Amino acid sequence: CGRCRRAAYCGPEHQALDWRRGHRRSCGQHAAGDDLANAIPEHNEFLFPEYEILIEPEEPEFPADSTDDEQGAEDTSKGAKEQEELGAAGTADEAFQSLDEETLEAMAKHETAEEKIFQMFKKQVAAEPEQIIRYCRGGEGPLWVSGENRPEEKDIPNCACGAKRIFEFQIMPQLLNHLQVDSLGESIDWGTLVVYTCADSCGGESEYLEEFIWKQDYSMGCT
C-alpha cells in the first residue's frame, strides 16, 4: 500500500479490492511498532486453504488375480451399455430433421467419441475422486477430459535450453473444490491442466524455471 507502506498485495487488482472492502478505514491507523500481523490484508479471500498432498501409486484397472471370465463378463456388460447409449444417441431430434444424412452421421460420431473419452476420464478418476494431481513423468500421456483442444507436438515449445519438453503431471479439476473457487460462472475453471517440463531437467535445483502448461476445458457435450 503506497499510503501506509504496511499492507502487501500480489497485484493492483487485489489492492483495489481490499481498499474497497475495509483497508481504507484501517489504513495508517497502526503504529509503526505494530507487529507484522497488522500488515496482512483483512480479508481471507486472498488466502487459499492449506493442505498436505499425499502421494500413492495408482492401482491397475484389473487386479492381477482377476480371471479372463470376469474381464469378459465386464466387457460384455460394457458393450451392452455402449450399444444402449449408441441407440439413445442415434434417436434424431426434430431440430435435426432438416439436416442431411451425412451431416447427422458426422455429428453422431463426434458426440459418441467425446462421450467415450469423457466416460473413460470419469471411470479413471472414480477410483480416487479426491485426487488433485496425476504424476507420470515421461511415461503414459495425460488423462484427457475431451478429444478437443489437445496439443500436438508442435504446440509444445522447447525449453529455453533447447531440449524438448515432456509431460510430467496434470492438475485435476477437483482442486477447484478444495480451494473453494468452484462457483459456476464466478471463478477460474478447467477440465485439466497439463504440465510439460524440460526433458533434460536443466537448471538443477538451484532456481525456478519457466515451464509449459496446457489448459483443456470440458467439451460442450460433457455433462
Side-chain angles (χ1 to χ4, degrees):
C1 175
R3 181 181 176 187
C4 68
R5 301 288 181 180
R6 297 191 59 78
Y9 304 96
C10 61
E13 293 84 4
H14 278 175
Q15 181 179 3
L17 179 63
D18 192 45
W19 179 261
R20 293 194 301 269
R21 295 191 177 184
H23 185 66
R24 69 167 68 192
R25 294 188 298 273
S26 61
C27 184
Q29 294 181 3
H30 302 296
D34 287 351
D35 58 32
L36 185 61
N38 291 327
I40 299 176
E42 292 86 347
H43 305 285
N44 60 13
E45 65 260 29
F46 297 99
L47 302 175
F48 289 128
E50 185 174 338
Y51 300 95
E52 177 185 5
I53 299 178
L54 301 179
I55 301 175
E56 297 179 354
E58 186 172 56
E59 296 294 333
E61 182 176 358
F62 298 109
D65 57 352
S66 64
T67 64
D68 292 338
D69 291 340
E70 291 174 341
Q71 294 183 19
E74 182 176 344
D75 290 341
T76 301
S77 175
K78 179 180 178 182
K81 183 177 180 181
E82 289 182 352
Q83 288 295 327
E84 181 180 348
E85 291 174 350
L86 288 173
T91 303
D93 188 83
E94 293 182 0
F96 295 129
Q97 293 300 320
S98 61
L99 298 177
D100 60 84
E101 184 176 346
E102 184 177 348
T103 302
L104 287 171
E105 184 177 356
M107 292 174 62
K109 286 182 178 179
H110 175 74
E111 291 176 357
T112 301
E114 277 297 301
E115 182 66 18
K116 285 185 177 181
I117 293 171
F118 186 59
Q119 290 299 330
M120 183 182 301
F121 177 86
K122 291 202 300 184
K123 179 182 178 182
Q124 196 79 14
V125 172
E128 293 292 341
E130 297 299 308
Q131 64 183 288
I132 61 170
I133 290 178
R134 294 177 63 85
Y135 184 93
C136 187
R137 178 174 168 80
E140 296 182 6
L143 181 62
W144 296 108
V145 72
S146 169
E148 301 174 354
N149 191 31
R150 293 190 187 185
E152 299 180 7
E153 187 174 352
K154 63 181 178 60
D155 296 322
I156 304 171
N158 290 341
C159 179
C161 73
K164 292 183 62 176
R165 284 192 173 99
I166 60 174
F167 167 65
E168 181 162 354
F169 66 93
Q170 66 185 113
I171 303 172
M172 308 300 283
Q174 182 62 21
L175 181 61
L176 294 166
N177 181 51
H178 288 302
L179 297 181
Q180 301 171 18
V181 290
D182 59 346
S183 301
L184 291 177
E186 298 180 2
S187 66
I188 54 177
D189 190 23
W190 63 73
T192 187
L193 301 176
V194 185
V195 179
Y196 296 85
T197 62
C198 177
D200 292 344
S201 298
C202 68
E205 299 179 358
S206 60
E207 58 181 327
Y208 289 107
L209 298 175
E210 180 178 317
E211 297 295 1
F212 182 76
I213 187 168
W214 186 272
K215 178 177 180 285
Q216 186 190 46
D217 295 319
Y218 290 100
S219 167
M220 294 298 292
C222 296
T223 56

